[in-house]
Amino acid sequence: AKRQGGNSFRFYDRGMHRASAERVALENDLRFAIERKELWVAYQPCVGGREGHVVSAEALLRWNHPTLGSVAPDRFIPIAEENGLIVELGEWIMRVACNECRRWHDMGRNGMCVSVNVSAVQFGQPRLIESVRRALDDAGLPAWGLQLEITESSLMKDAETAVAMLRAFKNMGVRLAIDDFGTGYSSLAYLKRFPVDVIKIDQSFVRGLCDDEEDAAIVRAIIVLARSMRLEVIAEGVESLSQVDVLRTDGCELFQGYFFGRPVEAERFRQVLSARSLS
Ligand code: C2E
Ligand code: CA
Ligand code: CA
Ligand code: CA
């Protein structure tokens, strides 16, 4: 029994060791990922109106690791947030995305905007304001061409500071979106004080929209709330026509999800844009 216990302990220990070794390896590799050009940005369309025009795109970070292949952002972003690398990664993607949006404008799609995710770690730092300003200036992009997505839960971490940060961006003319709305327990009183333009309904509610009465009720309530506060509302994770139908009936007119397009690399996205603009 003793021996067995020893073995199972050692097994457990080895498993733990492997998990942390992998984490350390990812962390080290991530430090060099930008200069080794292993990171790239995927763009996913957000469409609106009856014709389903592409009105904006969300920039999503991708990591093509030399031995592990594609590593999902859900795996490496938490690591980057813990060791602070997210600040550098965030500034990098901001510059890349602003330059890309400028190209869309130059193609004649001059109403487009690019939406960039901002981590709670970045959002807590005043230097974010200067780096956004610089990214816009260097790209020659008007401020409204950039939308910042901040999750509801990072806004609620320190809501008073969040209000001040949001105001600074609002004064710059940047568009602001609350990401993953419905999951972060913000009080409606705060929603009133956050000077945002857009609410993105979390995909967990959209997923259950057609089969779960409660998810359907939550989605409907968010849409009514957003519209009565004159905010735009985007449904995330839209995968089927039946979801689109329910969302339209409820009054939502902006959609993002696999049904309309998966995230794709910049060049492919530009092809999609020029093909669609012919119609
Ligand atoms: P998010 O900001 O909520 O982004 C939406 C996620 O949903 C993306 O996953 C996207 O690929 C996925 N998605 C879009 N449409 C559908 C759909 O119809 N069905 C399903 N099942 N999924 C859909 P992705 O790219 O793996 O990113 C995951 C999360 O990683 C993001 O969630 C965001 O929190 C974070 N992330 C990604 N890029 C960045 C970045 O540049 N900076 C920061 N701070 N976070 C990022
Ligand atoms: Ca997002
Ligand atoms: Ca989201
Ligand atoms: Ca989510």
Side-chain angles (χ1 to χ4, degrees):
K2 205 170 186 182
R3 196 174 151 201
Q4 202 179 17
N7 274 343
S8 69
F9 174 74
R10 234 179 344 225
F11 181 72
Y12 173 71
D13 191 43
R14 233 181 278 136
M16 291 276 290
H17 182 72
R18 208 182 302 124
S20 66
E22 184 188 272
R23 201 190 151 87
V24 170
L26 278 186
E27 183 174 344
N28 279 328
D29 295 346
L30 196 52
R31 288 183 198 285
F32 303 102
I34 295 181
E35 54 190 78
R36 289 178 187 157
K37 305 208 189 314
E38 294 165 5
L39 294 176
W40 56 282
V41 182
Y43 298 89
Q44 183 179 34
C46 171
V47 310
R50 288 279 149 202
E51 290 82 27
H53 285 303
V54 180
V55 295
S56 64
E58 179 170 3
L60 294 158
L61 201 49
R62 294 290 179 263
W63 185 12
N64 192 11
H65 189 279
T67 56
L68 298 172
S70 162
V71 182
D74 287 334
R75 236 169 111 205
F76 69 83
I77 286 184
I79 297 177
E81 285 178 326
E82 238 169 74
N83 66 14
L85 259 182
I86 191 67
V87 174
E88 195 188 326
L89 291 182
E91 287 181 1
W92 178 81
I93 194 171
M94 194 82 69
R95 306 182 75 83
V96 172
C98 287
N99 285 324
E100 190 57 32
C101 185
R102 178 57 210 251
R103 293 185 73 160
W104 304 335
H105 288 193
D106 292 345
M107 287 166 59
R109 302 298 299 251
N110 44 20
M112 287 275 298
C113 108
V114 73
S115 203
V116 174
N117 292 286
V118 174
S119 138
V121 175
Q122 290 173 278
F123 196 68
Q125 299 187 345
R127 84 179 245 188
L128 178 68
I129 298 173
E130 215 22 68
S131 71
V132 166
R133 205 191 312 270
R134 229 177 311 118
L136 288 168
D137 283 352
D138 292 352
L141 186 69
W144 53 261
L146 176 66
Q147 176 168 293
L148 301 179
E149 296 194 5
I150 304 125
T151 63
E152 187 189 14
S153 49
S154 45
L155 289 175
M156 290 313 292
K157 261 184 193 149
D158 177 356
E160 288 305 320
T161 309
V163 170
M165 284 291 274
L166 293 173
R167 282 222 186 92
F169 286 117
K170 195 80 245 160
N171 291 338
M172 263 168 84
V174 167
R175 289 168 54 87
L176 298 167
I178 304 184
D179 202 357
D180 300 348
F181 190 80
T183 62
Y185 313 103
S186 59
S187 76
L188 297 181
Y190 266 112
L191 187 58
K192 182 181 152 192
R193 295 192 51 211
F194 291 144
V196 298
D197 306 279
V198 186
I199 285 178
K200 296 187 80 171
I201 306 174
D202 189 67
Q203 42 184 281
S204 60
F205 304 117
V206 175
R207 197 171 305 131
L209 188 58
C210 299
D211 336 285
D212 185 315
E213 242 333 292
E214 277 151 359
D215 283 340
I218 291 170
V219 167
R220 212 176 304 129
I222 295 175
I223 295 168
V224 168
L225 180 69
R227 288 176 61 113
S228 54
M229 293 179 82
R230 305 206 190 299
L231 300 175
E232 289 176 20
V233 58
I234 300 176
E236 279 197 282
V238 178
E239 294 185 354
S240 71
L241 185 59
S242 39
Q243 289 169 336
V244 176
D245 287 340
V246 175
L247 287 161
R248 279 221 171 100
T249 306
D250 289 346
C252 177
E253 282 156 3
L254 293 165
F255 314 99
Q256 186 182 341
Y258 295 166
F259 181 74
F260 295 96
R262 290 185 177 253
V264 292
E265 60 164 321
E267 200 183 322
R268 178 87 196 86
F269 187 78
R270 266 180 259 127
Q271 287 167 0
V272 171
L273 275 188
S274 43
R276 291 225 193 161
S277 64
L278 293 176
S279 60

